[in-house]
Each structure stands twice: as C-alpha cells, then as structure tokens.
C-alpha cells in the first residue's frame, strides 16, 4: 500500500518533469495565472489531507484498532496531499518545480539551521525508538514520550514559521 | 468569452503565442488562456500586452454593452 502511494507520487513527479521540458516553461518562475492556480492547488492539497485524517480516524474508530503505524499514516496523508497538488497544478498547466533551479541561491540562515537540526533529532528519535508499543511509557511518571514529541513538533513548527517569515521579509526587502 | 481581438492583434504583428508570452514575461499557456477567455489577466499584464501589440486597453479588452 505504501509503495503504491510512493509510486503514484513518483509517476506524478516524473510527468511534471517531462511536461516541463516539453512545454518550454520559463525558468524564472511562475506568472500571475500560475501563481493563482498554485495557491489553489496547495489549498486543495491541504483540504485533502484534512479529509483523509478525518476519514482515517473514523475508520480506525469503527474498526477499534490501529490500521497502520503513525509514521505510515503520516506518509499516506502527505502522499495523497502531494498527489492532489501535483495533479491539480498539472491540470492547469502549472508545473511544480521538482528540481532545484540554479538561479535561486538558498542561504541557510541561523533559524533554518535550527529547524533542520531539530528535524534531524526528531527523525532520530523516531528511528531509534525501540517499539511503537512503548510510546506511552513514562519518564519519571510525569511526562510521556508522546507529549514530549508533540511539544517537540510544536517547537519545530514555530522555528520553521519564524524562518519562513524571516525569509519572506528578506525577499520583500530585497525587491523594494 | 473568447478574446478574438488579442489573437487578431497578435497575428497582425506576426507573433506567435510563445513570442508574445516571452515578451510580456508569462507562459504560453497563460496567453492561450487569455485568448480563450479562460483567464482574466491583471491590469499590469493587460498593459504589457497592449504595449507589445501597440494597441490601447480599449482596443483589446473593452467590451461594449450588448
């Protein structure tokens, strides 16, 4: 099942790349129409993820047992969301850049570095956790690991948001 | 509603959709969408198209009440 989703996304991405080359898309980015449809694509992708989560939680509640591990659930949701974004964008002749464009230089700022570092720690925690059955085990009987992860995820989101705001502000400042 | 006037003006200047798109800085698909009436361009893009085709906004985009 997981491989099916990953395969569908790989197909979508490869179609994007192929059509991008075939239709001679301008390299300097999106025009106003494409930006409009790209915004809609992201919106529909987000709605799809939300709907999937609602549907999945209802299904799990109905069956009264977890269907997959939490990581697999997240991968499903993200895959479906990305697939909707790619396909909606493709439908409206907007090509999501899947390869890095050489004209844009990405500078890793301090807060960007913090986000990446925290994400790495988060991934390491997921990888080296002994078993998913132990997710509710307590540390000193006060805070369980799940709560720690939620706090950690919130911190990552805050750092990412700060980084994004900083990046947008710098771009705006450069343009003006 | 199709915008035939842009297509006529473009043909009069002997420009392809791709050439016009390159001049005004958008994709060919966007010019196609404007000509087909699928997309309403911003005033900035309208002005750029008018400048490239040597026409006024009225010539290309104004619609008389029927």
């Amino acid at each position: 099942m997981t491989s099916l989703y990953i395969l569908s996304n790989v197909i979508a991405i490869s179609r994007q790349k192929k059509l991008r080359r075939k239709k001679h898309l301008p390299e300097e980015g999106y025009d106003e129409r494409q930006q409009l449809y790209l915004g809609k694509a992201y919106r529909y992708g987000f709605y799809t993820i939300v709907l999937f989560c609602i549907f999945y939680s209802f299904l799990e509640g109905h069956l009264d047992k977890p269907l997959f591990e939490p990581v697999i659930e997240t991968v499903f949701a993200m895959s479906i969301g990305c697939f909707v974004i790619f396909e909606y964008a493709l439908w409206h002749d907007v090509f999501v850049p899947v390869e890095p464009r050489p004209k844009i230089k990405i500078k890793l700022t301090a807060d960007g570095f913090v986000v990446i570092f925290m994400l790495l720690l988060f991934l390491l925690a997921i990888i080296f956790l002994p078993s998913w059955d132990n997710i509710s085990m307590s540390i000193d009987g006060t805070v369980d690991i799940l709560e720690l992860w939620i706090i950690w995820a919130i911190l990552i989101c805050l750092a990412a948001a700060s980084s994004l705001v900083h990046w947008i502000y710098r771009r705006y400042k450069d343009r003006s | 509603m199709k915008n035939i006037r842009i297509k006529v003006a473009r043909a009069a200047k002997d420009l392809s959709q791709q050439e016009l798109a390159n001049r005004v800085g958008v994709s060919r698909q966007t010019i196609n969408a404007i000509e087909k009436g699928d997309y309403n361009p911003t005033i900035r893009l309208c002005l750029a198209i008018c400048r490239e085709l040597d026409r006024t906004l009225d010539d290309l985009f104004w619609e008389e009440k029927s």
Side-chain angles (χ1 to χ4, degrees):
Chain A
M1 194 72 173
T2 315
S3 55
L4 190 69
Y5 279 113
I6 292 170
L7 184 70
S8 63
N9 278 1
V10 167
I11 290 169
I13 289 169
S14 58
R15 279 180 67 199
Q16 293 263 348
K17 289 181 84 167
K18 193 177 169 186
L19 284 169
R20 233 178 111 83
R21 281 194 213 102
K22 193 178 169 187
K23 294 197 174 185
H24 306 294
L25 195 79
E27 285 298 317
E28 57 267 16
Y30 299 113
D31 61 32
E32 55 182 46
R33 185 189 65 86
Q34 289 171 324
Q35 281 173 356
L36 186 77
Y37 283 114
L38 195 60
K40 280 187 181 176
Y42 284 128
R43 195 192 311 162
Y44 292 142
F46 174 72
Y47 290 156
T48 309
I49 291 173
V50 171
L51 281 175
F52 174 81
C53 290
I54 292 169
F55 174 75
Y56 190 83
S57 59
F58 270 119
L59 196 66
E60 268 193 347
H62 183 70
L63 295 174
D64 206 17
K65 64 171 184 178
L67 293 174
F68 304 104
E69 290 176 347
V71 171
I72 306 295
E73 288 175 27
T74 313
V75 169
F76 277 0
M78 296 297 285
S79 304
I80 292 173
C82 290
F83 189 75
V84 168
I85 291 169
F86 279 127
E87 287 304 312
Y88 185 84
L90 195 64
W91 187 259
H92 291 281
D93 291 319
V94 184
F95 302 88
V96 178
V98 287
E99 70 266 21
R101 283 175 293 182
K103 285 180 183 175
I104 295 176
K105 289 178 184 173
I106 297 170
K107 289 176 186 171
L108 191 62
T109 55
D111 40 2
F113 180 76
V114 169
V115 171
I116 290 171
F117 180 69
M118 288 167 83
L119 270 174
L120 277 175
L121 285 182
F122 191 66
L123 288 173
L124 283 174
I126 290 173
I127 291 165
F128 291 109
L129 191 76
S131 165
W132 286 99
D133 301 331
N134 295 335
I135 197 162
S136 60
M137 70 180 181
S138 297
I139 300 168
D140 297 327
T142 51
V143 182
D144 67 14
I145 287 179
L146 191 63
E147 284 174 3
L148 276 178
W149 278 18
I150 291 169
I151 293 166
W152 195 248
I154 290 169
L155 281 174
I156 291 175
C157 290
L158 283 174
S162 149
S163 178
L164 187 68
V165 167
H166 184 245
W167 182 73
I168 290 169
Y169 172 74
R170 209 174 49 233
R171 270 183 76 98
Y172 177 75
K173 201 178 168 187
D174 288 347
R175 280 187 185 176
S176 61
Chain B
M1 203 170 98
K2 281 189 177 182
N3 194 334
I4 300 291
R5 285 171 289 178
I6 293 182
K7 198 170 185 176
V8 171
R10 180 172 59 76
K13 294 276 282 184
D14 201 20
L15 288 173
S16 67
Q17 283 186 346
Q18 184 69 58
E19 285 166 342
L20 179 61
N22 290 342
R23 288 187 183 194
V24 297
V26 295
S27 64
R28 183 193 60 77
Q29 288 83 2
T30 298
I31 298 294
N32 188 38
I34 294 168
E35 287 185 0
K36 283 200 310 187
D38 291 341
Y39 173 64
N40 288 324
T42 60
I43 192 72
R44 190 180 295 226
L45 181 55
C46 290
L47 286 170
I49 291 171
C50 289
R51 282 195 196 102
E52 285 302 325
L53 299 178
D54 293 328
R55 301 291 171 96
T56 63
L57 277 172
D58 283 0
D59 291 339
L60 295 183
F61 294 101
W62 186 255
E63 287 176 5
E64 294 292 336
K65 281 184 184 175
S66 55

